[in-house]
């Protein structure tokens, strides 16, 4: 089932990001040496009762120097376009302002369910203040306090009440779902078009999400693929379309539904900071990753330049050392045939299971090669390892004391496992657990 998306909208300073942070808590882990992924986040997962959903803080999407009213309209449009339920937030201390009324007008026309939250109601005496907000026309105002964490339960009860089941389109597990991410102008649309140009294409509107998710299925060499299109489904012409935060949010939405994420780089402009940030999102999500160097037609196309560029990619994207690098031109279609085999390989490795016997042989060999470390006179003992999950492959290593499993030793084990089983294209997780 697709997860519902909740957007928080309202004028500046009503407390949107305070509430956003309360809802998403610290769920997102920060992975070492992944560049700045979780800073300034505006899109994250939250949970309430038995619901898992996504939250957008629309206040985080700012449009340069545009006047306040333009900003607020754009944020309300994002909420309307991107979410299933909208939390409209106002400030109980200020009463209704002209800006609140502007936002209300837009939301009113949208036909999306709107839940009205009156923030900064920090104590019971202030509850009187909420009544005037009935006149906004969104039913019962819910008093909350972001600072004190009050009223959030009722607000969320009401919010999840509006969730409807959002089925994914049916397809079997063999289907490989992938998305294409990258900065503006790296060639995402061109790549998708040129992949699809050769195929019989079925474009399907996802039930309930016609506004954004156009999934395109095609078959190649008897394998079924679905492209989750972030590029083609851009809201061309909307004022917020070119803001970085907005494109990041779209990328995160697509990544979440993918098995494999193609991270595009422009050979012509070279690697930029934004490329690293965007690639970091795919890594953090635990998806299989293929790095695609596009516009290879603009480079003197010999082996040396390919090697040089790969070295640049490797040093720029250290956290993606498992991802294969493919060089191609979406425009001339040169080398484009090298792409899908890499996608298939990454996907197969992402869902690969290895036998427990073989795994433990590899661990025993690894221990013989590089005896486990000691910390303060205590030596790590490894008893047994087993694969507990796929997508991505996840291993648990049972040990005498997990604190003795140093990051570098874990890295060493990961490399041995990779050498033995060839997990090209997929991250793998290793957890040390105390044997009980
Ligand atoms: P945003 O611009 O809508 O995202 O608002 P922020 O979350 O940045 O909050 C604006 C200011 O209001 C900050 O100084 C917060 O500390 C404060 N604030 C947020 N929630 C509450 C609340 O429930 N009560 C009070 N008194 N202040 C709050
Ligand atoms: P997007 O913003 O990532 O979707 O990028 P587009 O697909 O819209 O492409 C941006 C620009 O790059 C367009 O002018 C394309 O024609 C150009 N472009 C895309 N792929 C290639 C390529 O392989 N080689 C060259 N030379 N130009 C390309």
């Amino acid at each position: 089932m697709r997860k519902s998306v909740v957007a928080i909208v309202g004028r500046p300073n009503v407390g949107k990001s305070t509430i956003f942070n309360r809802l998403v808590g610290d769920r997102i882990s920060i992975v070492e040496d992944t560049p700045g992924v979780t800073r300034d986040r505006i899109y994250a997962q939250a949970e309430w009762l038995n619901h898992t959903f996504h939250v957008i803080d629309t206040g985080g999407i700012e449009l340069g120097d545009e006047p306040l009213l333009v900003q607020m309209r754009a944020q309300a449009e994002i909420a309307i376009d991107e979410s299933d339920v909208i939390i409209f937030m106002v400030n109980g201390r200020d009463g209704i302002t002209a800006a609140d009324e502007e936002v209300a007008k837009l939301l009113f026309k949208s036909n999306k369910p709107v839940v009205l939250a009156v923030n900064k109601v920090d104590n019971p005496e202030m509850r009187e203040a909420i009544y005037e907000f009935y006149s906004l026309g969104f039913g019962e105002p819910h008093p909350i306090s972001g600072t004190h964490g009050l009223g959030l339960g009722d607000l969320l009860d009401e919010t999840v009440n509006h969730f409807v089941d959002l089925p994914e389109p049916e397809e079997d597990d063999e289907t490989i779902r992938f998305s294409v991410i990258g900065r503006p102008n790296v060639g995402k649309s061109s790549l998708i078009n040129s992949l699809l140009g050769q195929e019989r294409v079925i474009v399907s509107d996802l039930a309930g999400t016609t506004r954004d998710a156009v999934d395109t299925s095609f078959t190649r060499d008897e394998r079924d693929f679905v492209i989750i299109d972030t590029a083609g489904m851009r809201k061309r012409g909307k004022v917020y379309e070119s803001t970085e935060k907005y494109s990041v949010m779209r990328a995160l939405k697509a990544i979440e539904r993918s098995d494999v994420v193609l991270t595009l780089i422009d050979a012509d402009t070279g690697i930029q900071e934004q490329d690293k940030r965007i690639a970091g999102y795919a890594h953090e999500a635990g998806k299989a990753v293929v790095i695609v160097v596009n516009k290879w037609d603009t480079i003197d196309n010999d082996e040396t330049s390919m090697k040089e560029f790969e070295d640049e990619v490797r040093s720029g994207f250290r956290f993606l050392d498992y991802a294969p690098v493919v060089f191609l031109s979406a425009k001339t279609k040169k080398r484009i045939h090298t792409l899908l085999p890499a996608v298939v390989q990454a996907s197969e490795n992402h869902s690969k299971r290895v036998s427990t016997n073989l795994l433990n042989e590899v661990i025993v060999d690894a221990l013989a090669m590089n005896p486990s470390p000691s910390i303060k006179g205590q030596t790590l003992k490894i008893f047994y390892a087993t694969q507990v999950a796929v997508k991505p492959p996840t291993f648990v290593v049972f040990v005498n004391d997990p604190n003795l499993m140093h990051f570098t030793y874990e890295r060493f084990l990961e490399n041995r496992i990779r050498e033995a089983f060839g997990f090209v294209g997929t991250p793998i997780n290793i957890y040390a657990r105390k044997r009980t």
Side-chain angles (χ1 to χ4, degrees):
M1 212 110 81
R2 188 176 75 76
K3 294 185 185 100
S4 294
V5 180
V6 175
I8 308 176
V9 69
R11 63 191 169 82
N13 275 318
V14 293
K16 296 181 296 298
S17 64
T18 305
I19 297 296
F20 174 85
N21 287 326
R22 277 209 177 258
L23 295 186
V24 307
D26 284 326
R27 311 183 20 101
I28 296 185
S29 65
I30 297 173
V31 175
E32 274 153 284
D33 59 11
T34 310
V37 168
T38 52
R39 246 170 286 142
D40 296 333
R41 65 210 152 117
I42 56 154
Y43 178 81
Q45 192 167 296
E47 270 154 39
W48 179 245
L49 305 175
N50 51 348
H51 297 274
T52 303
F53 54 98
H54 287 103
V55 192
I56 305 171
D57 174 7
T58 61
I61 299 175
E62 288 169 1
L63 310 170
D65 299 330
E66 296 288 342
L68 178 66
L69 207 58
V70 175
Q71 304 259 1
M72 284 181 19
R73 280 206 194 109
Q75 291 169 359
E77 274 181 30
I78 290 167
I80 293 163
D81 288 347
E82 303 288 340
S83 71
D84 303 295
V85 181
I86 297 168
I87 294 179
F88 176 22
M89 195 169 293
V90 293
N91 180 342
R93 297 178 173 222
D94 293 349
I96 296 174
T97 67
D100 293 334
E101 279 170 345
E102 272 305 311
V103 177
K105 250 190 261 170
L106 288 168
L107 298 182
F108 212 71
K109 279 190 282 193
S110 76
N111 293 322
K112 286 275 161 106
V114 174
V115 181
L116 181 60
V118 183
N119 191 31
K120 310 200 185 183
V121 181
D122 296 337
N123 54 61
E125 296 80 70
M126 293 179 59
R127 289 180 65 103
E128 293 291 308
I130 70 172
Y131 295 105
E132 77 164 291
F133 293 98
Y134 270 102
S135 67
L136 286 172
F138 295 106
E140 194 189 339
H142 297 267
I144 59 171
S145 166
T147 313
H148 302 292
L150 302 173
L152 293 178
D154 288 345
L155 178 69
L156 290 172
D157 281 345
E158 172 70 9
T159 303
V160 303
N161 261 340
H162 291 285
F163 289 175
V164 286
D165 285 349
L166 304 162
E168 294 278 1
E170 286 201 18
E171 64 225 354
D172 58 76
D173 283 350
E174 302 287 300
T175 302
I176 299 174
R177 309 164 67 82
F178 68 96
S179 53
V180 182
I181 63 172
R183 296 186 271 119
N185 285 320
V186 289
K188 297 181 293 295
S189 313
S190 306
L191 180 63
I192 289 170
N193 289 337
S194 85
L195 274 175
L196 296 178
Q198 313 160 331
E199 308 296 337
R200 195 173 63 89
V201 170
I202 304 157
V203 178
S204 63
D205 280 341
L206 233 99
T209 64
T210 45
R211 70 187 177 282
D212 64 10
V214 178
D215 290 3
T216 312
S217 327
F218 66 96
T219 304
R220 163 83 61 90
D221 296 336
E222 309 197 339
R223 292 208 74 128
D224 295 329
F225 297 88
V226 171
I227 299 185
I228 297 161
D229 189 355
T230 50
M233 67 196 187
R234 268 185 309 208
K235 312 282 193 271
R236 299 258 183 209
K238 297 255 176 158
V239 312
Y240 53 76
E241 192 227 326
S242 59
T243 62
E244 183 180 353
K245 286 244 173 104
Y246 176 74
S247 40
V248 164
M249 189 196 74
R250 296 305 297 259
L252 288 174
K253 280 179 116 180
I255 288 168
E256 195 218 338
R257 298 177 51 234
S258 307
D259 300 309
V260 184
V261 178
L262 311 191
T263 299
L264 249 65
I265 301 166
D266 183 335
D268 201 21
T269 60
I271 299 169
Q272 304 191 352
E273 278 310 307
Q274 200 185 342
D275 293 322
K276 297 183 193 176
R277 271 205 302 284
I278 291 172
Y281 298 114
H283 172 72
E284 278 238 325
K287 303 298 181 171
V289 178
V290 175
I291 298 171
V292 180
V293 181
N294 187 33
K295 308 198 187 179
W296 199 241
D297 57 294
T298 64
I299 301 290
D300 265 346
N301 196 350
D302 58 14
E303 287 294 318
T304 333
S305 48
M306 215 178 270
K307 180 81 189 69
E308 277 167 14
F309 209 103
E310 174 153 7
D311 288 346
E312 258 177 69
V313 169
R314 291 297 167 213
S315 63
F317 299 83
R318 289 194 193 283
F319 55 99
L320 287 179
D321 54 1
Y322 52 83
V325 185
V326 170
F327 299 82
L328 53 76
S329 166
K331 191 169 169 184
T332 66
K333 300 201 177 179
K334 192 165 192 175
R335 300 182 51 84
I336 200 156
H337 61 276
T338 59
L339 180 59
L340 287 182
V343 171
V344 170
Q345 182 195 38
S347 169
E348 285 175 349
N349 286 334
H350 193 231
S351 50
K352 180 148 93 184
R353 268 184 203 284
V354 302
S355 91
T356 304
N357 279 345
L358 283 178
L359 177 64
N360 282 283
E361 275 175 30
V362 170
I363 299 284
V364 168
D365 286 352
L367 284 169
M369 193 169 131
N370 186 359
S372 47
S374 299
I375 299 175
K376 290 183 188 141
Q378 283 204 298
T379 304
L380 175 73
K381 284 204 186 81
I382 296 183
F383 301 108
Y384 176 73
T386 185
Q387 184 175 355
V388 294
V390 293
K391 295 190 174 187
T394 301
F395 302 90
V396 169
V397 180
F398 290 95
V399 299
N400 55 336
D401 178 358
N403 295 321
L404 298 172
M405 177 72 100
H406 191 263
F407 174 72
T408 52
Y409 201 73
E410 192 176 294
R411 194 73 203 197
F412 162 71
L413 288 181
E414 170 171 347
N415 289 336
R416 298 302 305 154
I417 290 175
R418 285 187 178 281
E419 277 165 35
F421 302 108
F423 283 112
V424 173
T426 180
I428 65 178
N429 295 328
I430 298 177
Y431 297 107
R433 212 171 274 163
K434 191 177 171 58
R435 188 181 68 171
T436 46

